[in-house]
Amino acid sequence: MNLTEVSNLLMVILTLLGLIVEVIRLTIEVMDKFSQKKNDDNKKD
């Protein structure tokens, strides 16, 4: 493998890692909003 192939492979790996981190962050954010909404609904009762 030459330098270009290694560079492309590294960029693909970093992009995939970035996407995985973004999905995890969004999942945590949605779970947090859901729990806040559930707490707000409990306070109304």
Side-chain angles (χ1 to χ4, degrees), residues 1-4 12 15 18 22 26 29-33 37-40 42 44:
M1 288 192 352
N2 60 18
L3 187 60
T4 307
V12 168
T15 303
E22 190 69 19
L26 286 173
E29 188 175 316
V30 167
M31 286 171 47
D32 187 44
K33 286 191 185 294
K37 185 178 184 314
K38 196 172 182 183
N39 287 339
D40 290 345
N42 288 342
K44 287 179 185 176

Side-chain angles (χ1 to χ4, degrees):
M1 288 192 352
N2 60 18
L3 187 60
T4 307
E5 291 172 338
V6 172
S7 174
N8 286 341
L9 184 61
L10 190 60
M11 289 295 283
V12 168
I13 291 171
L14 289 175
T15 303
L16 289 174
L17 283 174
L19 286 173
I20 290 169
V21 167
E22 190 69 19
V23 166
I24 291 171
R25 187 185 65 80
L26 286 173
T27 303
I28 292 172
E29 188 175 316
V30 167
M31 286 171 47
D32 187 44
K33 286 191 185 294
F34 181 74
S35 67
Q36 284 179 0
K37 185 178 184 314
K38 196 172 182 183
N39 287 339
D40 290 345
D41 289 346
N42 288 342
K43 288 178 183 175
K44 287 179 185 176
D45 292 342

